[in-house]
Structure formats: structure tokens, C-alpha cells
Amino acid sequence: EAQVTQNPRYLITVTGKKLTVTCSQNMNHEYMSWYRQDPGLGLRQIYYSMNVEVTDKGDVPEGYKVSRKEKRNFPLILESPSPNQTSLYFCASSHINEKLLFGSGTQLSVL
Amino acid sequence: AQTVTQSQPEMSVQEAETVTLSCTYDTSENNYYLFWYKQPPSRQMILVIRQEAYKQQNATENRFSVNFQKAAKSFSLKISDSQLGDTAMYFCAFTHKAAGNKLTFGGGTRVLVKP
């Protein structure tokens, strides 16, 4: 079954404690991206990757890092989380110029 | 920069009735795509309908249809014969050819279908 898998689904952490949210897809998609969802703001793109070792900033990249060492994986790293990064995060993937498939979301709370 | 605006934060509708969600967008691009996504309480992002800007015909998917007014930059979603399972957050989204796969989303409209 084609899917985008994010882990964990829920995460509570404290300010400054480094964390990683994993994202994996099994469709050999070139394109992967991360979004955050906040009330009233919809989803906003954090980072994206067009292929292995090719990543670029989206609209709200501050405080986040990504890497794309393998085609199937695109982890989101928060080196020093802050409360304003409390949000619902989505990973998405697709072939170039085809429709996005979203993961199930990760609800992150930073205390 | 592209912007997408959904002016209705919340709407309610009686089961079996029709509800229309509004969406306006701003762009200088000519070759673009518009989408409506549904997000039920499970948080899944489900693609409801997709419209290509160069197609004048309005897209439909079963009980969901759009009214695409290109000159007015308007892209409303009509849900006919509303069902309880339609209760969800609905997002309007935009992308254009040069943006690759990046979607720009509106703020969302929460729809509550009442029995």
C-alpha cells in the first residue's frame, strides 16, 4: 500500500531538547516536503526536497533542519525546540508535478 | 507571492442540505492549479477536488463541485446533500507550474453537519 509514514503521532517535549520527526515513503517519490498547520493559518511549507541531497527552504524554515540522504526518508529536526514550534506537522511526498500524498500528522507540544 | 483566503472560519449545515465554502486567491501566474482538501477529526489530509486553471469547465466529484471564476480569482466549493461524514476542516490550496509541488493553503473553514 502506498503511504507516507510519520513518527511519532504525538510528542510532548521541553524547550531546548533536540528532537527528530521521521518521515518515510514507499513510492519512490522524488519530491518530499514538510508543512506545519496552525489555527487560522492553514498549512505552511517548512522545507522541501526535490531529490536525494537536494533540499531547500519553504516559507517558515527558521528553527528547523532537514536532510535527504536516502530517497525514501526525509526527517525533520528541531535542534532547540521552542514553544512557538508547538504545531501539527505534516510530511508529504509525490513524483514531480503530481499530486501530493500526506502523512497522518505529528502533533508536537513544546513546554 | 501567492495568497489564498478563506473568509468563513466556521459553517454549519443541516444534513441533506447544501453548503458553499468560499475561497479567493491572488496570483500573477497563468498556469496554475486549485485544490480543496478535507481534514476530518482523524487529521488526515484528503484531496477532495482539483481544478486546472486553463480548463473552463468546473470540476465535480460526486456531491462536491466547484465554481471557478478565473477573472474574479474565486474558487468556491459546494457540498450537496451534506452527510454527517462531511464534518471536517476544509482547506483551499493553490500551486503553479513553476512552484513545483509547493501548495499555498488558505486558513481553513470548519464545517459542521448537523443531524
Side-chain angles (χ1 to χ4, degrees), chain A residues 45-100:
Chain A
Q45 191 183 58
I46 302 170
Y47 267 95
Y48 67 96
S49 169
M50 300 293 279
N51 215 323
V52 176
E53 302 291 2
V54 180
T55 64
D56 208 347
K57 297 177 181 178
D59 294 324
V60 287
E62 294 77 20
Y64 304 95
K65 282 175 57 176
V66 293
S67 69
R68 188 92 181 271
K69 294 177 181 160
E70 306 164 281
K71 199 169 187 179
R72 63 182 290 125
N73 296 324
F74 190 46
L76 179 69
I77 303 156
L78 284 72
E79 295 266 1
S80 182
S82 62
N84 65 12
Q85 292 178 298
T86 291
S87 188
L88 177 59
Y89 291 86
F90 285 97
C91 181
S93 75
S94 70
H95 291 301
I96 302 294
N97 287 325
E98 291 190 6
K99 73 175 184 181
L100 280 177

CSV table of all heavy atoms in Angstrom, one decimal, chain A residues 45-100:
chain,number,residue,atom,x,y,z
A,45,GLN,N,4.6,25.7,4.3
A,45,GLN,CA,5.7,24.8,4.0
A,45,GLN,C,6.9,25.2,4.8
A,45,GLN,O,7.3,26.4,4.8
A,45,GLN,CB,6.0,24.9,2.5
A,45,GLN,CG,7.0,23.8,2.1
A,45,GLN,CD,7.3,23.9,0.6
A,45,GLN,OE1,7.8,24.9,0.1
A,45,GLN,NE2,7.1,22.8,-0.1
A,46,ILE,N,7.6,24.2,5.4
A,46,ILE,CA,8.8,24.5,6.1
A,46,ILE,C,10.1,24.3,5.3
A,46,ILE,O,10.9,25.2,5.1
A,46,ILE,CB,8.9,23.5,7.3
A,46,ILE,CG1,7.6,23.7,8.2
A,46,ILE,CG2,10.1,23.8,8.2
A,46,ILE,CD1,7.5,22.6,9.3
A,47,TYR,N,10.2,23.1,4.7
A,47,TYR,CA,11.3,22.7,3.8
A,47,TYR,C,10.8,21.7,2.8
A,47,TYR,O,9.8,21.1,3.0
A,47,TYR,CB,12.4,22.0,4.6
A,47,TYR,CG,13.5,22.9,5.1
A,47,TYR,CD1,13.5,23.4,6.4
A,47,TYR,CD2,14.6,23.2,4.4
A,47,TYR,CE1,14.5,24.2,6.9
A,47,TYR,CE2,15.6,24.0,4.8
A,47,TYR,CZ,15.5,24.5,6.1
A,47,TYR,OH,16.5,25.3,6.6
A,48,TYR,N,11.5,21.6,1.7
A,48,TYR,CA,11.2,20.6,0.7
A,48,TYR,C,12.5,20.1,0.1
A,48,TYR,O,13.6,20.6,0.3
A,48,TYR,CB,10.3,21.2,-0.4
A,48,TYR,CG,10.9,22.3,-1.3
A,48,TYR,CD1,11.4,21.9,-2.5
A,48,TYR,CD2,10.9,23.6,-0.8
A,48,TYR,CE1,12.0,22.9,-3.3
A,48,TYR,CE2,11.5,24.6,-1.7
A,48,TYR,CZ,12.0,24.2,-2.9
A,48,TYR,OH,12.6,25.2,-3.7
A,49,SER,N,12.3,19.0,-0.6
A,49,SER,CA,13.4,18.3,-1.2
A,49,SER,C,13.0,17.8,-2.6
A,49,SER,O,12.0,17.1,-2.7
A,49,SER,CB,13.9,17.1,-0.4
A,49,SER,OG,14.8,16.3,-1.1
A,50,MET,N,13.7,18.1,-3.6
A,50,MET,CA,13.4,17.6,-5.0
A,50,MET,C,14.0,16.3,-5.3
A,50,MET,O,13.6,15.6,-6.2
A,50,MET,CB,13.9,18.7,-6.0
A,50,MET,CG,13.3,20.0,-5.8
A,50,MET,SD,11.5,20.1,-6.2
A,50,MET,CE,11.5,20.1,-7.9
A,51,ASN,N,15.0,15.9,-4.5
A,51,ASN,CA,15.6,14.6,-4.7
A,51,ASN,C,16.7,14.4,-3.6
A,51,ASN,O,16.9,15.3,-2.8
A,51,ASN,CB,16.2,14.4,-6.1
A,51,ASN,CG,16.1,13.0,-6.6
A,51,ASN,OD1,16.2,12.0,-5.9
A,51,ASN,ND2,15.9,12.9,-7.9
A,52,VAL,N,17.4,13.3,-3.7
A,52,VAL,CA,18.4,13.0,-2.7
A,52,VAL,C,19.5,14.1,-2.7
A,52,VAL,O,19.9,14.5,-3.7
A,52,VAL,CB,19.1,11.6,-3.0
A,52,VAL,CG1,20.2,11.3,-2.0
A,52,VAL,CG2,18.0,10.5,-2.9
A,53,GLU,N,19.8,14.5,-1.5
A,53,GLU,CA,20.8,15.6,-1.2
A,53,GLU,C,20.4,16.9,-1.8
A,53,GLU,O,21.3,17.8,-1.8
A,53,GLU,CB,22.2,15.1,-1.8
A,53,GLU,CG,22.7,13.8,-1.3
A,53,GLU,CD,23.2,13.9,0.2
A,53,GLU,OE1,23.0,15.0,0.8
A,53,GLU,OE2,23.7,12.9,0.7
A,54,VAL,N,19.2,17.1,-2.2
A,54,VAL,CA,18.7,18.4,-2.7
A,54,VAL,C,17.6,18.9,-1.8
A,54,VAL,O,16.5,18.3,-1.8
A,54,VAL,CB,18.2,18.3,-4.1
A,54,VAL,CG1,17.8,19.7,-4.6
A,54,VAL,CG2,19.3,17.8,-5.1
A,55,THR,N,17.9,19.9,-0.9
A,55,THR,CA,16.8,20.4,-0.1
A,55,THR,C,16.8,21.9,-0.2
A,55,THR,O,17.8,22.6,-0.5
A,55,THR,CB,17.0,20.0,1.4
A,55,THR,OG1,18.3,20.6,1.9
A,55,THR,CG2,17.1,18.5,1.6
A,56,ASP,N,15.6,22.5,0.2
A,56,ASP,CA,15.5,24.0,0.1
A,56,ASP,C,14.5,24.5,1.1
A,56,ASP,O,13.6,23.7,1.5
A,56,ASP,CB,15.2,24.5,-1.3
A,56,ASP,CG,15.8,25.9,-1.6
A,56,ASP,OD1,16.2,26.6,-0.6
A,56,ASP,OD2,15.8,26.3,-2.8
A,57,LYS,N,14.6,25.8,1.4
A,57,LYS,CA,13.7,26.4,2.4
A,57,LYS,C,12.3,26.6,1.8
A,57,LYS,O,12.2,27.0,0.6
A,57,LYS,CB,14.3,27.7,2.9
A,57,LYS,CG,15.6,27.5,3.7
A,57,LYS,CD,16.1,28.9,4.0
A,57,LYS,CE,17.5,28.8,4.8
A,57,LYS,NZ,18.0,30.1,5.1
A,58,GLY,N,11.3,26.4,2.7
A,58,GLY,CA,10.0,26.8,2.3
A,58,GLY,C,9.7,28.2,2.9
A,58,GLY,O,10.6,29.1,2.9
A,59,ASP,N,8.5,28.4,3.3
A,59,ASP,CA,8.1,29.7,3.8
A,59,ASP,C,8.4,30.0,5.3
A,59,ASP,O,8.6,31.2,5.7
A,59,ASP,CB,6.6,29.9,3.6
A,59,ASP,CG,6.2,29.9,2.2
A,59,ASP,OD1,7.0,30.5,1.4
A,59,ASP,OD2,5.1,29.4,1.9
A,60,VAL,N,8.6,29.0,6.1
A,60,VAL,CA,8.8,29.1,7.5
A,60,VAL,C,9.9,28.2,8.0
A,60,VAL,O,9.7,27.3,8.9
A,60,VAL,CB,7.5,28.9,8.3
A,60,VAL,CG1,6.6,30.1,8.2
A,60,VAL,CG2,6.8,27.6,8.0
A,61,PRO,N,11.1,28.3,7.5
A,61,PRO,CA,12.2,27.4,7.8
A,61,PRO,C,12.9,27.6,9.2
A,61,PRO,O,13.7,26.7,9.6
A,61,PRO,CB,13.2,27.6,6.7
A,61,PRO,CG,13.0,29.0,6.3
A,61,PRO,CD,11.6,29.4,6.6
A,62,GLU,N,12.7,28.8,9.8
A,62,GLU,CA,13.5,29.1,11.0
A,62,GLU,C,13.3,28.2,12.1
A,62,GLU,O,12.2,27.9,12.5
A,62,GLU,CB,13.2,30.6,11.4
A,62,GLU,CG,13.6,31.7,10.4
A,62,GLU,CD,12.6,31.8,9.3
A,62,GLU,OE1,11.4,31.3,9.4
A,62,GLU,OE2,13.0,32.3,8.3
A,63,GLY,N,14.4,27.7,12.6
A,63,GLY,CA,14.3,26.7,13.8
A,63,GLY,C,14.2,25.3,13.4
A,63,GLY,O,14.1,24.4,14.2
A,64,TYR,N,14.3,25.0,12.1
A,64,TYR,CA,14.2,23.6,11.6
A,64,TYR,C,15.4,23.2,10.7
A,64,TYR,O,16.0,24.1,10.1
A,64,TYR,CB,12.9,23.4,10.8
A,64,TYR,CG,11.6,23.8,11.5
A,64,TYR,CD1,11.1,25.1,11.3
A,64,TYR,CD2,11.0,22.9,12.3
A,64,TYR,CE1,9.9,25.4,12.0
A,64,TYR,CE2,9.8,23.2,12.9
A,64,TYR,CZ,9.3,24.5,12.8
A,64,TYR,OH,8.1,24.9,13.4
A,65,LYS,N,15.6,22.0,10.7
A,65,LYS,CA,16.6,21.4,9.7
A,65,LYS,C,16.0,20.2,9.1
A,65,LYS,O,15.2,19.5,9.7
A,65,LYS,CB,17.9,21.0,10.5
A,65,LYS,CG,18.8,22.2,10.8
A,65,LYS,CD,20.0,21.8,11.6
A,65,LYS,CE,20.8,20.7,10.9
A,65,LYS,NZ,22.0,20.3,11.7
A,66,VAL,N,16.5,19.8,7.9
A,66,VAL,CA,16.1,18.6,7.3
A,66,VAL,C,17.3,18.0,6.6
A,66,VAL,O,18.4,18.6,6.5
A,66,VAL,CB,15.0,18.8,6.2
A,66,VAL,CG1,13.7,19.3,6.8
A,66,VAL,CG2,15.5,19.8,5.1
A,67,SER,N,17.2,16.7,6.3
A,67,SER,CA,18.2,16.0,5.5
A,67,SER,C,17.6,15.1,4.5
A,67,SER,O,16.5,14.6,4.8
A,67,SER,CB,19.3,15.3,6.4
A,67,SER,OG,18.7,14.2,7.0
A,68,ARG,N,18.2,14.8,3.4
A,68,ARG,CA,17.7,13.8,2.5
A,68,ARG,C,18.8,12.9,2.0
A,68,ARG,O,19.3,13.1,0.9
A,68,ARG,CB,17.0,14.5,1.3
A,68,ARG,CG,16.2,13.5,0.4
A,68,ARG,CD,14.8,13.4,0.7
A,68,ARG,NE,14.1,12.5,-0.1
A,68,ARG,CZ,13.5,12.8,-1.3
A,68,ARG,NH1,13.5,14.1,-1.7
A,68,ARG,NH2,12.8,11.9,-2.0
A,69,LYS,N,19.2,12.0,2.8
A,69,LYS,CA,20.3,11.1,2.5
A,69,LYS,C,19.9,9.9,1.7
A,69,LYS,O,20.7,9.3,1.0
A,69,LYS,CB,21.1,10.7,3.8
A,69,LYS,CG,21.7,11.9,4.5
A,69,LYS,CD,22.4,11.4,5.8
A,69,LYS,CE,23.0,12.7,6.4
A,69,LYS,NZ,23.2,12.5,7.8
A,70,GLU,N,18.6,9.5,1.9
A,70,GLU,CA,18.1,8.4,1.1
A,70,GLU,C,16.8,8.9,0.5
A,70,GLU,O,16.1,9.8,1.1
A,70,GLU,CB,17.7,7.2,2.0
A,70,GLU,CG,18.9,6.7,2.8
A,70,GLU,CD,18.3,5.8,3.9
A,70,GLU,OE1,17.8,6.4,4.9
A,70,GLU,OE2,18.3,4.6,3.8
A,71,LYS,N,16.4,8.3,-0.6
A,71,LYS,CA,15.2,8.8,-1.3
A,71,LYS,C,13.9,8.7,-0.5
A,71,LYS,O,13.0,9.5,-0.5
A,71,LYS,CB,15.1,8.1,-2.6
A,71,LYS,CG,14.2,8.8,-3.6
A,71,LYS,CD,14.3,8.1,-5.0
A,71,LYS,CE,13.5,8.9,-6.0
A,71,LYS,NZ,13.6,8.3,-7.4
A,72,ARG,N,13.8,7.6,0.3
A,72,ARG,CA,12.6,7.3,1.0
A,72,ARG,C,12.4,8.1,2.3
A,72,ARG,O,11.3,8.2,2.8
A,72,ARG,CB,12.5,5.8,1.3
A,72,ARG,CG,13.6,5.3,2.2
A,72,ARG,CD,13.4,3.8,2.4
A,72,ARG,NE,12.2,3.5,3.2
A,72,ARG,CZ,11.2,2.7,2.8
A,72,ARG,NH1,11.3,2.1,1.6
A,72,ARG,NH2,10.2,2.5,3.5
A,73,ASN,N,13.5,8.7,2.8
A,73,ASN,CA,13.4,9.3,4.2
A,73,ASN,C,13.7,10.8,4.1
A,73,ASN,O,14.6,11.3,3.4
A,73,ASN,CB,14.4,8.6,5.1
A,73,ASN,CG,14.1,7.2,5.4
A,73,ASN,OD1,12.9,6.8,5.5
A,73,ASN,ND2,15.1,6.4,5.5
A,74,PHE,N,12.9,11.5,4.9
A,74,PHE,CA,13.1,13.0,5.0
A,74,PHE,C,12.8,13.5,6.4
A,74,PHE,O,11.7,14.0,6.7
A,74,PHE,CB,12.1,13.6,4.0
A,74,PHE,CG,12.4,15.1,3.7
A,74,PHE,CD1,13.6,15.6,3.5
A,74,PHE,CD2,11.3,16.0,3.7
A,74,PHE,CE1,13.8,17.0,3.3
A,74,PHE,CE2,11.5,17.3,3.4
A,74,PHE,CZ,12.7,17.8,3.2
A,75,PRO,N,13.7,13.3,7.3
A,75,PRO,CA,13.4,13.7,8.7
A,75,PRO,C,13.4,15.2,8.9
A,75,PRO,O,14.2,15.9,8.3
A,75,PRO,CB,14.6,13.0,9.5
A,75,PRO,CG,15.7,12.9,8.5
A,75,PRO,CD,15.0,12.6,7.1
A,76,LEU,N,12.6,15.6,9.9
A,76,LEU,CA,12.6,17.0,10.3
A,76,LEU,C,13.2,17.1,11.7
A,76,LEU,O,12.8,16.4,12.6
A,76,LEU,CB,11.1,17.5,10.4
A,76,LEU,CG,10.9,18.9,10.8
A,76,LEU,CD1,11.4,19.9,9.8
A,76,LEU,CD2,9.4,19.1,11.1
A,77,ILE,N,14.2,18.0,11.8
A,77,ILE,CA,15.0,18.1,13.0
A,77,ILE,C,14.7,19.5,13.7
A,77,ILE,O,14.9,20.5,13.0
A,77,ILE,CB,16.5,17.9,12.7
A,77,ILE,CG1,16.7,16.5,12.0
A,77,ILE,CG2,17.3,18.0,14.0
A,77,ILE,CD1,17.9,16.5,11.2
A,78,LEU,N,14.4,19.4,15.0
A,78,LEU,CA,14.3,20.7,15.7
A,78,LEU,C,15.5,20.6,16.7
A,78,LEU,O,15.5,19.9,17.7
A,78,LEU,CB,13.0,20.8,16.4
A,78,LEU,CG,11.8,21.1,15.6
A,78,LEU,CD1,11.4,20.0,14.7
A,78,LEU,CD2,10.6,21.6,16.5
A,79,GLU,N,16.5,21.4,16.5
A,79,GLU,CA,17.7,21.3,17.3
A,79,GLU,C,17.5,21.9,18.7
A,79,GLU,O,18.0,21.3,19.7
A,79,GLU,CB,18.8,22.2,16.6
A,79,GLU,CG,19.3,21.6,15.3
A,79,GLU,CD,20.6,20.7,15.4
A,79,GLU,OE1,21.0,20.5,16.6
A,79,GLU,OE2,21.0,20.3,14.4
A,80,SER,N,16.7,22.9,18.8
A,80,SER,CA,16.4,23.5,20.1
A,80,SER,C,15.0,24.0,20.1
A,80,SER,O,14.7,25.2,19.9
A,80,SER,CB,17.4,24.7,20.4
A,80,SER,OG,17.1,25.2,21.7
A,81,PRO,N,14.0,23.1,20.3
A,81,PRO,CA,12.6,23.5,20.1
A,81,PRO,C,12.2,24.6,21.1
A,81,PRO,O,12.7,24.7,22.2
A,81,PRO,CB,11.9,22.2,20.5
A,81,PRO,CG,12.9,21.1,20.3
A,81,PRO,CD,14.2,21.7,20.6
A,82,SER,N,11.3,25.4,20.6
A,82,SER,CA,10.7,26.5,21.5
A,82,SER,C,9.2,26.4,21.4
A,82,SER,O,8.6,25.7,20.5
A,82,SER,CB,11.2,27.9,21.0
A,82,SER,OG,10.7,28.1,19.6
A,83,PRO,N,8.5,27.0,22.4
A,83,PRO,CA,7.0,26.8,22.5
A,83,PRO,C,6.3,27.3,21.2
A,83,PRO,O,5.3,26.8,20.9
A,83,PRO,CB,6.7,27.7,23.7
A,83,PRO,CG,7.9,27.6,24.6
A,83,PRO,CD,9.1,27.6,23.6
A,84,ASN,N,6.9,28.2,20.5
A,84,ASN,CA,6.2,28.7,19.2
A,84,ASN,C,6.3,27.6,18.1
A,84,ASN,O,5.8,27.9,17.0
A,84,ASN,CB,6.7,30.0,18.8
A,84,ASN,CG,8.2,30.0,18.3
A,84,ASN,OD1,8.8,29.0,18.2
A,84,ASN,ND2,8.8,31.2,18.1
A,85,GLN,N,7.0,26.5,18.4
A,85,GLN,CA,7.0,25.4,17.4
A,85,GLN,C,6.0,24.4,17.7
A,85,GLN,O,5.9,23.3,17.1
A,85,GLN,CB,8.4,24.8,17.3
A,85,GLN,CG,9.4,25.8,16.7
A,85,GLN,CD,10.8,25.2,16.6
A,85,GLN,OE1,11.4,25.0,17.6
A,85,GLN,NE2,11.4,25.1,15.4
A,86,THR,N,5.2,24.6,18.8
A,86,THR,CA,4.1,23.8,19.0
A,86,THR,C,3.1,23.9,17.9
A,86,THR,O,2.6,25.0,17.5
A,86,THR,CB,3.4,24.2,20.3
A,86,THR,OG1,4.2,23.9,21.4
A,86,THR,CG2,2.0,23.5,20.5
A,87,SER,N,2.8,22.7,17.2
A,87,SER,CA,2.1,22.8,16.0
A,87,SER,C,1.7,21.3,15.6
A,87,SER,O,2.2,20.4,16.2
A,87,SER,CB,2.9,23.5,14.9
A,87,SER,OG,2.1,23.7,13.7
A,88,LEU,N,0.9,21.2,14.5
A,88,LEU,CA,0.7,20.0,13.9
A,88,LEU,C,1.5,19.9,12.6
A,88,LEU,O,1.4,20.8,11.8
A,88,LEU,CB,-0.8,19.8,13.5
A,88,LEU,CG,-1.3,18.6,12.8
A,88,LEU,CD1,-1.0,17.3,13.5
A,88,LEU,CD2,-2.8,18.7,12.5
A,89,TYR,N,2.3,18.9,12.5
A,89,TYR,CA,3.3,18.8,11.4
A,89,TYR,C,2.9,17.7,10.4
A,89,TYR,O,2.5,16.6,10.8
A,89,TYR,CB,4.7,18.5,11.9
A,89,TYR,CG,5.3,19.7,12.6
A,89,TYR,CD1,5.0,19.8,14.0
A,89,TYR,CD2,6.1,20.6,12.0
A,89,TYR,CE1,5.5,20.9,14.7
A,89,TYR,CE2,6.6,21.7,12.7
A,89,TYR,CZ,6.3,21.8,14.0
A,89,TYR,OH,6.8,22.9,14.7
A,90,PHE,N,3.0,18.0,9.1
A,90,PHE,CA,2.7,17.0,8.1
A,90,PHE,C,3.9,16.9,7.1
A,90,PHE,O,4.5,17.9,6.7
A,90,PHE,CB,1.5,17.4,7.2
A,90,PHE,CG,0.2,17.3,7.9
A,90,PHE,CD1,-0.4,18.3,8.5
A,90,PHE,CD2,-0.4,16.0,7.9
A,90,PHE,CE1,-1.6,18.2,9.2
A,90,PHE,CE2,-1.7,15.9,8.5
A,90,PHE,CZ,-2.3,17.0,9.2
A,91,CYS,N,4.2,15.6,6.8
A,91,CYS,CA,5.1,15.3,5.7
A,91,CYS,C,4.3,14.9,4.5
A,91,CYS,O,3.2,14.4,4.6
A,91,CYS,CB,6.0,14.1,6.2
A,91,CYS,SG,7.2,13.6,4.9
A,92,ALA,N,4.8,15.3,3.3
A,92,ALA,CA,4.1,14.9,2.1
A,92,ALA,C,5.1,14.5,1.0
A,92,ALA,O,6.2,15.0,1.1
A,92,ALA,CB,3.2,16.1,1.6
A,93,SER,N,4.7,13.7,0.1
A,93,SER,CA,5.6,13.3,-1.0
A,93,SER,C,4.8,13.1,-2.3
A,93,SER,O,3.6,13.0,-2.3
A,93,SER,CB,6.3,12.0,-0.6
A,93,SER,OG,5.5,10.9,-0.7
A,94,SER,N,5.5,13.2,-3.4
A,94,SER,CA,4.9,12.9,-4.7
A,94,SER,C,6.0,12.8,-5.7
A,94,SER,O,7.2,13.1,-5.5
A,94,SER,CB,4.0,14.1,-5.1
A,94,SER,OG,4.8,15.2,-5.4
A,95,HIS,N,5.7,12.3,-6.9
A,95,HIS,CA,6.5,12.5,-8.1
A,95,HIS,C,6.4,14.0,-8.5
A,95,HIS,O,5.5,14.6,-8.1
A,95,HIS,CB,6.1,11.6,-9.2
A,95,HIS,CG,6.3,10.1,-9.0
A,95,HIS,ND1,7.5,9.6,-8.7
A,95,HIS,CD2,5.4,9.1,-8.9
A,95,HIS,CE1,7.4,8.3,-8.5
A,95,HIS,NE2,6.2,8.0,-8.6
A,96,ILE,N,7.4,14.5,-9.2
A,96,ILE,CA,7.4,15.9,-9.6
A,96,ILE,C,6.2,16.2,-10.4
A,96,ILE,O,5.8,15.5,-11.3
A,96,ILE,CB,8.7,16.2,-10.4
A,96,ILE,CG1,10.0,15.9,-9.6
A,96,ILE,CG2,8.7,17.7,-10.8
A,96,ILE,CD1,10.2,16.7,-8.4
A,97,ASN,N,5.5,17.3,-10.0
A,97,ASN,CA,4.3,17.8,-10.6
A,97,ASN,C,3.1,16.8,-10.6
A,97,ASN,O,2.2,16.9,-11.5
A,97,ASN,CB,4.6,18.2,-12.1
A,97,ASN,CG,5.4,19.5,-12.1
A,97,ASN,OD1,5.2,20.4,-11.3
A,97,ASN,ND2,6.3,19.6,-13.1
A,98,GLU,N,3.1,15.9,-9.7
A,98,GLU,CA,1.9,15.1,-9.4
A,98,GLU,C,1.4,15.4,-8.1
A,98,GLU,O,2.0,16.1,-7.3
A,98,GLU,CB,2.3,13.6,-9.6
A,98,GLU,CG,2.6,13.2,-11.0
A,98,GLU,CD,2.8,11.8,-11.2
A,98,GLU,OE1,2.5,11.0,-10.3
A,98,GLU,OE2,3.2,11.4,-12.3
A,99,LYS,N,0.2,14.9,-7.8
A,99,LYS,CA,-0.5,15.3,-6.6
A,99,LYS,C,0.3,14.8,-5.3
A,99,LYS,O,0.8,13.7,-5.3
A,99,LYS,CB,-1.9,14.8,-6.6
A,99,LYS,CG,-2.2,13.4,-6.4
A,99,LYS,CD,-3.6,13.1,-6.2
A,99,LYS,CE,-3.9,11.6,-5.9
A,99,LYS,NZ,-5.3,11.3,-5.8
A,100,LEU,N,0.2,15.6,-4.3
A,100,LEU,CA,0.9,15.3,-3.0
A,100,LEU,C,0.1,14.2,-2.2
A,100,LEU,O,-1.1,14.2,-2.2
A,100,LEU,CB,1.0,16.5,-2.2
A,100,LEU,CG,2.1,17.5,-2.5
A,100,LEU,CD1,2.0,18.7,-1.5
A,100,LEU,CD2,3.5,16.8,-2.3
